[in-house]
Amino acid sequence: MLSPARSAPVGFPPPHLAAAGAGGAGALSLLQRRVHPGPGLNGNGLGRLDRTAHNSGTLSIWRLSDGKAGHDQQSLGLARALGRLRPASLHHLPLPGRGRQLAWLLAGRFPPGRGLPDPDLILGAGHGTHLALLAARRARGGRAIVLMRPSLPAALFDLCLVPEHDGVTGSERLLTTRGPLNPMEPSQDHRPDRGLILVGGPSRHYGWDEEGLLGQVRTLLERQPEMAWTLADSRRTPDTTRERLATLAGGEVRFQSHRDCPPGWLASELAVAGQVWVSEDSASMLYEALTAGAATGLLQAPPKGPSRVRSGVDSLLQQGLVTPFAEWLAGARPEPPGHPFDEAGRVAGAILRRWFPVDAA
């Protein structure tokens, strides 16, 4: 939960930044803002109004990218949610390595933003965006919002959006989310005769049981022949699994490889699938399916041990948001979320109410 933030300039840099101040200027000079920090958010995005916030016009949003698709999906999800709630101009800014970002921060410059309007919000996901977030804010102002657990102290940023399964607490500038944010939108067009099966692969947190996974997929297809099924792999899917999934195509079953997916394919499929099954290792796709409002089932994969990803999946199971394959075999059926699972929309609303209230005087 975020309580009102201090109005003094941020002064908690890591040692290498504190030591790098030119001419003995200290960390406070290095990280001095161009905007008043103002109050923070609490868990509901409420609290006393920040009277320095403007109350109309188009928001200028800078979205910083480290080039990693998963990170871009998170920041894009928040940017689009903000745009659905308020007129906004979105600017996508690819970043170089951290060395150049640090040089920009020390010099008070941010070349990627040259020619763009000053930002109201600066978004970045992943460690490769952290120094750039600080550099952009120092050079041009705005609020720096970091998605995922930051590698630098949370007090350096205006807001940190961290999945609750990371177990991070104790910062006044922290807002927890149910899983990573994503750009999916809730849909009312789910068709009961359409099914989607999303297959991941081995990861740091999960091993891979190809025979077990394929057995679950075959059982789903055999026991629900009235449905039109789409099977889809991912970048992590082993070649042998991919090839064997492709052999299941035929009749009402089709296979879609990630290698030739058109842009927006997953969003369009999740918007209409009445039933979505996701392998347990693919946490991001689980949250995307739930955000789309789909009835979601869980294909079992062998965990390597306790992990934050597994904790997130366990939380979804405890809340009854996903149906494990074993329970489906026993007669349970996946159900859509009872309430909209729109974390990007919830966070966007909290940000706007706090920093850009439309009724501010």
Side-chain angles (χ1 to χ4, degrees):
M1 178 178 292
L2 290 165
S3 57
R6 300 180 180 88
S7 60
V10 172
F12 300 89
H16 70 282
L17 288 183
L28 290 182
S29 174
L30 173 63
L31 297 174
Q32 178 74 45
R33 303 173 189 267
R34 292 180 60 199
V35 297
H36 189 288
L41 296 164
N42 64 23
N44 297 315
L46 302 175
R48 62 184 180 87
L49 292 178
D50 178 358
R51 297 298 180 182
T52 65
H54 63 69
N55 62 4
S56 63
T58 299
L59 288 177
S60 174
I61 302 174
W62 290 8
R63 190 170 69 88
L64 311 188
S65 171
D66 63 1
K68 296 183 178 180
H71 295 167
D72 281 346
Q73 287 288 93
Q74 295 185 46
S75 60
L76 181 61
L78 178 56
R80 286 183 175 176
L82 288 163
R84 290 195 293 271
L85 298 175
R86 191 74 57 83
S89 61
L90 174 60
H91 307 279
H92 173 78
L93 286 73
L95 298 174
R98 298 182 194 179
R100 289 178 64 187
Q101 294 180 33
L102 178 58
W104 295 341
L105 176 58
L106 295 174
R109 300 170 55 249
F110 191 69
R114 187 178 296 117
L116 298 179
D118 286 343
D120 294 300
L121 297 171
I122 312 166
L123 315 180
H127 300 330
T129 67
H130 293 171
L131 292 174
L133 281 166
L134 300 179
R137 186 183 63 190
R138 184 184 182 211
R140 301 287 295 276
R143 311 278 184 176
I145 300 177
V146 61
L147 294 88
M148 301 171 58
R149 183 174 182 171
S151 55
L152 300 177
L156 289 175
F157 303 95
D158 294 280
L159 180 62
C160 302
L161 304 175
V162 182
E164 60 185 5
H165 60 240
D166 279 358
V168 179
T169 60
S171 170
E172 63 183 6
R173 303 188 183 202
L174 171 71
L175 185 61
T176 57
T177 63
R178 291 187 295 176
L181 303 187
N182 63 78
M184 302 302 162
E185 298 181 34
S187 170
Q188 302 297 323
D189 300 324
H190 299 288
R191 293 172 46 182
D193 63 340
R194 292 281 295 273
L196 177 64
I197 298 177
L198 303 173
V199 176
S203 68
R204 287 187 301 158
H205 307 293
Y206 283 86
W208 195 244
D209 177 5
E210 183 171 286
E211 293 298 332
L213 186 284
L214 290 170
Q216 294 174 75
V217 172
R218 290 193 190 96
T219 301
L220 286 170
L221 302 182
E222 292 167 358
R223 296 197 182 185
Q224 298 180 94
E226 73 282 1
M227 296 186 68
W229 288 98
T230 298
L231 314 179
D233 64 2
S234 70
R235 289 187 297 272
R236 288 187 290 105
T237 305
D239 288 341
T240 55
T241 306
R242 180 179 299 111
E243 292 165 1
R244 295 176 70 180
L245 283 172
T247 65
L248 299 177
E252 292 298 309
V253 180
R254 67 188 182 98
F255 173 72
Q256 175 66 58
S257 172
H258 76 282
R259 294 171 175 170
D260 53 12
C261 267
W265 179 86
L266 181 58
S268 63
E269 290 292 320
L270 288 175
V272 297
Q275 194 176 122
V276 178
W277 288 84
V278 184
S279 60
E280 188 174 345
D281 59 280
S282 301
S284 61
M285 290 195 289
L286 275 175
Y287 292 107
E288 288 171 340
L290 290 170
T291 302
T296 305
L298 187 69
L299 299 173
Q300 297 168 343
K304 292 182 178 179
S307 68
R308 58 181 179 80
V309 173
R310 188 179 182 187
S311 295
V313 173
D314 287 344
S315 177
L316 296 177
L317 289 169
Q318 291 166 8
Q319 296 174 64
L321 291 169
V322 296
T323 301
F325 180 79
E327 291 187 12
W328 176 81
L329 282 177
R333 289 294 178 266
E335 298 289 342
H339 301 282
F341 193 97
D342 183 12
E343 287 295 276
R346 178 180 70 85
V347 170
I351 290 170
L352 294 175
R353 287 191 298 271
R354 169 80 327 263
W355 288 327
F356 309 100
V358 295
D359 59 346

